Amino acid sequence: MRPGLSSLRSSLRTTFTVSFAAVAAVVTVLIGFLSYDAAARLVRVDQQTVFEGVVRDLLDEVRGRPLSPADFATADADGGPRDEIVRPSGTVVQVLGPGGSMVDRGHPTLPVTAADRPVAAARVAGRLVEHRDVEVGDSDDVYRVATVSLGGGRGAVQVAQEFSGTEDLLRDLQQRTVLLEAAVVTAAGLFGWWLARRITSRLVRLTGAAEDVARTGSLGIQVPVAGYDEVARLGRSFDRMLGRLAQSEDDQRRLVQDAGHELRTPLTSLRTNISMLRRMDELPPAAREELVADLAQESRELTDLVNELVALAAGRSDSEPVGRVTVADLADDVAVAARRRTGRAVTVRVSGDTVIDGRPAALQRAVSNLVDNAAKFDRGGGEPIELVVTRDRDAVRIEVLDRGPGIAEEDLDRVFDRFYRAPDARSLPGSGLGLSIVREVATAHAGKPFAHRRKGGGAITGFTATTATPPEQERK
């Protein structure tokens, strides 16, 4: 297993799992605690309320009319005071005589303390003493006991209610709550692990693809992508990036291969002519002049070829800033330079607004290449070369019209390819890169090149330009 994948698994999956389990644990424990606390309060308050109601009813009974221990000693079929206490609550009742003697034992028997005996001998009815957490008999049951005097020294009535059963129930509820919380946390941890595995599996595959590219240098690796979330978008973006890098690498390879092929011819010719320089003294004067002229011409062609190769290779990575360009003014400058360089007449026609956001140097080179190409093929010179700049909806359209031999129908779709030269043009100077640079500039300005046959003879070549696109969009 590669270290990167191992660390990704150990970090992301562990983080997802622990985080999910921790959140689930906090939420579950909080809800469990609040639920148990609320339930315990309700049960205890309810039981306390019931017992207080029994004691209150007993106080009302003994204060309302004189009662003796015998009135509480046995149950009355017609519903006596004892039944009024026992029936609604299941309360334990124990009756004490004067001085605290046992008249009727409760079930279970309740303890009689030193504080209970004065109550049994009290002269006033309704005197009360309460005992909390009283252990009865040998069991661990805990009761709450209240002793109420009957008055006149006749004795007292003890009532008790068990609280230990309620506490046992609450402890059982507490244990069940803890077990449920543990089960929920465990389930949350397992679900978090499954969810983390499901989420990170695509990241693991994406990381593996990136590491494979870094290790092998191969850009043709297919990145598995599924879904529409952020991870899927990342995978698709990475896949597109690899595709563009692969295309760029392929373009560079083909450029180098084509350039090497095109450079062989002038270099071979130069070597041949240079070898002839050794016999310079043996050549007649006319042959010497021809040799020197050939060397000068071949060196110029080689220089032009190298310059165009450099321009083409740097085309899409051009760092020239984008600015407002008036294409009409740029066309005037190109026409002036072309007249001076070629001696040909070049006319400029402008129609509409020709201002766009573009790269001035790149646009000027493209227009200049179109004019130079027209001058090269229109050797007759009978009519001027026309440079037309018009507004075409959102784009500026640049056209160069000449009266040369024109372009064959089968060549119209290929004239903008790198190093492509029509059969009729192979005897003329040039590298076959001028129009391909036009295509690169047009693409970089969200436009496209075009070539047509001109009515009456000649050709129309040109391109459209809207605005310069950022480098990352040019590679799309």
Side-chain angles (χ1 to χ4, degrees), residues 395-440:
V396 170
R397 183 181 181 92
I398 300 100
E399 296 179 337
V400 174
L401 296 80
D402 64 67
R403 286 300 181 181
I407 303 174
E409 289 288 344
E410 60 271 16
D411 295 329
L412 289 175
D413 295 333
R414 302 185 60 188
V415 292
F416 293 99
D417 293 343
R418 293 174 183 172
F419 300 106
Y420 180 76
R421 302 180 72 187
D424 296 338
R426 290 171 187 171
S427 60
L428 299 176
S431 62
L433 290 176
L435 292 184
S436 66
I437 293 176
V438 173
R439 182 185 64 182
E440 298 293 338

Side-chain angles (χ1 to χ4, degrees), residues 137-172:
D138 297 331
S139 66
D140 295 331
D141 295 338
V142 178
Y143 287 76
R144 183 174 180 180
V145 181
T147 304
V148 178
S149 64
L150 296 176
R154 293 188 296 273
V157 177
Q158 288 183 303
V159 292
Q161 189 164 1
E162 183 184 359
F163 279 79
S164 58
T166 301
E167 295 301 323
D168 291 341
L169 177 64
L170 292 177
R171 278 195 296 271
D172 183 65

Side-chain angles (χ1 to χ4, degrees), residues 37-47:
D37 184 68
R41 285 176 180 273
L42 287 174
V43 171
R44 288 181 179 128
V45 169
D46 181 69
Q47 194 171 32

